[in-house]
Amino acid sequence: MKANPKTLAKGLATFVPGVNRFLGRRPGGSVSARYCYSVWLRHLLRISVCSPRPILDTIAELGPGDSLGLGLAAILSGAKTYFAFDVQPHARPPINLAVFDELVSLFGKRSAIPDAAEFPRILPNLSDHSFPDHLLSPSLLDLSLSAPRLEMIRSALMESRTSGPIRYKAPWFAASERIPGTVDFAFSQAVMEHVDHPEEAYEALHCWLAPGGLMAHSIDYASHGYAKDWYGHWTVADFTWRLLRGGRPYLINRFPHSAHIAAIRRAGFEIEIDERIEDSP
Ligand SMILES: C[S@@+](CC[C@H](N)C(=O)[O-])C[C@H]1O[C@@H](n2cnc3c(N)ncnc32)[C@H](O)[C@@H]1O
């Protein structure tokens, strides 16, 4: 099976220093507040199956992409501290602030969760898209959306990234950066298929998590356009794949689901939910 010739040509071009800046794909969806709201509330609903009243004081997201919107949605759901771990610092304050203001309005109105008609690629599908009042009560939202708190978060978005409620670490790999046992919930959306060494990432997240902490990842195993068929990336020869990767900071790692499950267990986690969803081709 051959790689998609267009993406192969781009991969080769990225070996030229500087070219990657112009040819690189933007990470995607998180510039949309409605996307972030929809994804975050799905994660929240999923973890509530394992833990009806999950502790969310400190949360960590892997690969937030173009904005910190998913973590900001978590902060508006009551989280006190949000760690964002990325391979590169894609997110910029003006986008974060715009996404934040729209999220405040969505939570303030207890808006319904955007559904598959608006975001067909966000999974899992829900049977009920109404706002989860049972998880985010009016009294909790009154506190988390209070004017002084919103101002504090807005200024944190403009300030230092090493302290305060929002801590953006990009890159995040150094073991010296870890604060073991501090995170209540770690999650990612459309990221674990891109991470070069998923086993190291799961091991690092296990170290960050507090005892009893939870972790959730939504992983897209499709070829992301790098091959013709959705499974085509697994059939490309390793050498061709290296050319296709070129000098890009990340691509897709070609780990199958079974390898993720094994790596998660090896890192020390117990798996409570393993939900496999077949998308239409
Ligand atoms: C497809 S984007 C998803 C962005 C965002 N989560 C969303 O839902 O729009 C993939 C993200 O994974 C990040 N990424 C790739 N390798 C990574 C790594 N080793 N550690 C952390 N983040 C990584 C990329 O920088 C990018 O932000």
Side-chain angles (χ1 to χ4, degrees), residues 17 22 50 63 66 83 111 117 127 143 230 262-263 274 277:
F22 302 104
C50 305
D66 281 334
F83 287 95
S111 303
S127 53
L143 284 177
W230 77 265
D274 173 8
I277 302 168

Side-chain angles (χ1 to χ4, degrees), residues 3-11 248:
N4 177 338
K6 251 196 203 160
T7 53
L8 181 57
K10 274 193 185 175
R248 299 180 231 239

Side-chain angles (χ1 to χ4, degrees), residues 42-56:
R42 277 175 169 75
H43 276 290
L44 190 58
L45 285 164
R46 267 296 171 280
I47 55 166
S48 71
V49 174
C50 305
S51 169
R53 297 225 152 266
I55 299 173
L56 293 175

Side-chain angles (χ1 to χ4, degrees), residues 81-85 156-171 177 179 208:
T81 308
Y82 162 54
F83 287 95
F85 301 142
L157 275 173
M158 304 300 295
E159 282 168 5
S160 147
R161 294 163 172 179
T162 50
S163 63
I166 295 159
R167 308 195 196 174
Y168 191 18
K169 293 177 183 284
E177 293 272 314
I179 314 175
W208 274 92

Side-chain angles (χ1 to χ4, degrees), residues 27 29-30 35 63-65 85-87 90 172-173 189-191 194-195 250:
S30 66
Y35 169 90
F85 301 142
D86 212 319
V87 73
H90 305 288
W172 69 292
F173 321 111
Q189 182 74 19
V191 172
H194 296 287
V195 169
Y250 64 91

